[in-house]
Amino acid sequence: MNKLLTLAIAAMTLMACGGQKQPAAESETNEEMDLPTVYFTKDITPESLVKIYKALGLEATGRVAVKISTGEGGNPHYLKPELIGQLVKEVDGTIVECCTAYGGTRQDPKLHWETIREHGFDQIARVDLMDEEGEMQIPVADTTHIKYDIVGNHLTNYDFMINLAHFKGHQMGGFGGVLKNASIGVASTNGKAYIHSAGKTTDPELCWTEEYCAQGPTQDLLLESMAAAAQAVHNHFNGKILYIDVMNNMSVDCDCDGNPAKPELLDMGIMASLDPVAVDQACLDKVFNYQGHEGDDNQPLIERINRQHGTYITEYAERIGLGSKKYKLVEL
């Protein structure tokens, strides 16, 4: 009897242990389910842009803004009209931009319109310089450096935003993706100065001086200000915004550079998500984990990103609640 009792107790213990393992497995599954999804396609075509937009499952409705960089005059790397045109037409969108804060061919609205026409964007859709007629302030959740975000006042004309970014290097931020496109990109000329100076000035001439420019030892202040501004735009649209990163022509220099370095890394594909932190992080992971070689070298871009501590923006953006650095990657 004692032997039978012992066997029965052992069997019950084994069943209990097995029963305890199941909730752990469910917990892991639930945790994975809670992660934001990032969709990826290797194809960089007009059709794949529409496909990855539809995969997100969030329909762009109402008055749709498609935020891109129209590219500085002389820069050949911006997202071309022939690539993005089908998506813009699919959502009946308006291409939106704001003027820059550094001179060149896009700080003055008149010159900016000339660049827009030269690059052919007015041939595929309506185009709106959102700060051409003024600017306005929208609230920021993180007021560590900037107390508000200064954006083009035409932002209120739109119900939905597609943040269509060109992922590449950037001479100040380390890299440019959807976070930069939402922050610096949506800010007016004065708003750009405010972000670049980490809230010290709205004067575009002063913001580049040593006294005001958030660079060098204060580089992280720029990245923190960018994250805060990106969050302000995200919150402004209250769930009616989605994010796409196109990983082509990945120069170490931004589309805002009129004489950029030639890309040394070959095109990789398109990433998309409803989470701006996740999609930029997925692009960073793709670049940093790539096994480069001669003729397809990821090291120059990695060096540019690291030199400016560029990866810190996703870390800080996650910290302030804008999104998640962890994600599920789904290849289309």
Side-chain angles (χ1 to χ4, degrees):
M1 289 291 291
N2 288 340
K3 185 175 181 180
L4 289 174
L5 181 61
T6 301
L7 289 172
I9 292 171
M12 291 174 65
T13 303
L14 184 61
M15 290 174 64
C17 290
Q20 288 174 351
K21 289 179 182 178
Q22 186 60 34
E26 287 179 356
S27 176
E28 290 173 3
T29 302
N30 290 337
E31 182 182 353
E32 183 178 341
M33 286 176 62
D34 289 339
L35 293 177
T37 300
V38 176
Y39 293 94
F40 172 70
T41 176
K42 294 178 182 177
D43 298 326
I44 305 178
T45 65
E47 294 76 18
S48 63
L49 261 180
V50 174
K51 181 179 179 180
I52 205 167
Y53 151 68
K54 290 184 175 180
L56 292 172
L58 180 62
E59 184 181 1
T61 57
R63 300 166 297 177
V64 180
V66 181
K67 174 63 185 74
I68 65 165
S69 169
T70 50
E72 191 68 15
N75 186 304
H77 299 147
Y78 58 90
L79 299 181
K80 301 300 190 294
E82 53 268 29
L83 174 62
I84 71 170
Q86 189 170 327
L87 174 60
V88 177
K89 290 175 183 176
E90 174 76 22
V91 300
D92 190 25
T94 299
I95 293 172
V96 301
E97 254 280 45
C98 283
C99 292
T100 64
Y102 54 79
T105 67
R106 294 185 300 148
Q107 181 169 339
D108 175 75
K110 182 179 178 181
L111 292 177
H112 198 158
W113 274 112
E114 289 178 7
T115 303
I116 289 168
R117 295 185 183 102
E118 287 173 4
H119 291 173
F121 291 109
D122 63 325
Q123 300 299 310
I124 64 167
R126 300 177 297 272
V127 182
D128 180 11
L129 286 181
M130 293 191 293
D131 63 336
E132 186 174 16
E133 296 179 326
E135 61 190 23
M136 66 179 188
Q137 297 176 5
I138 61 174
V140 294
D142 174 37
T143 58
T144 304
H145 306 299
I146 60 174
K147 307 309 177 187
Y148 39 77
D149 190 20
I150 309 172
V151 300
N153 62 9
H154 289 187
L155 190 67
T156 57
N157 294 342
Y158 303 99
D159 307 304
F160 194 106
M161 176 172 280
I162 295 178
N163 182 328
L164 181 54
H166 175 209
F167 186 89
K168 69 287 178 190
H170 191 274
Q171 46 270 54
M172 300 186 78
F175 78 95
V178 298
L179 292 172
K180 177 184 176 293
N181 200 32
S183 56
I184 299 295
V186 176
S188 65
T189 294
N190 293 335
K192 288 176 172 63
Y194 191 54
I195 295 168
H196 271 289
S197 66
K200 295 178 182 177
T201 183
T202 59
D203 188 329
E205 293 185 6
L206 284 179
C207 80
W208 307 115
T209 64
E210 186 176 350
E211 180 181 0
Y212 290 96
C213 193
Q215 291 294 296
T218 58
Q219 168 69 5
D220 286 357
L221 305 189
L222 166 61
L223 300 174
E224 290 173 2
S225 300
M226 287 173 62
Q231 186 178 43
V233 173
H234 182 84
N235 291 347
H236 174 82
F237 282 99
N238 193 28
K240 294 183 177 181
I241 185 169
L242 57 85
Y243 300 91
I244 302 174
D245 270 321
V246 181
M247 303 180 74
N248 70 344
N249 296 318
M250 289 180 284
S251 169
V252 299
D253 296 319
C254 181
D255 297 345
C256 58
D257 191 323
N259 186 30
K262 182 180 177 181
E264 297 182 61
L265 177 63
L266 296 183
D267 298 350
M268 289 186 164
I270 304 172
M271 300 276 191
S273 182
L274 302 182
D275 185 316
V277 180
V279 70
D280 268 1
Q281 186 63 50
C283 291
L284 288 169
D285 291 342
K286 189 79 172 173
V287 170
F288 275 76
N289 294 325
Y290 185 67
Q291 297 299 314
H293 52 81
E294 186 176 353
D296 186 15
D297 190 0
N298 57 337
Q299 289 307 308
L301 182 53
I302 290 174
E303 289 168 6
R304 170 59 58 88
I305 294 169
N306 285 341
R307 189 188 76 185
Q308 299 302 106
H309 197 199
T311 57
Y312 177 61
I313 192 171
T314 56
E315 176 185 333
Y316 189 79
E318 181 182 59
R319 189 187 309 169
I320 63 176
L322 178 52
S324 170
K325 287 179 63 179
K326 295 181 179 180
Y327 55 88
K328 295 178 295 183
L329 189 66
V330 175
E331 186 166 349
L332 301 179

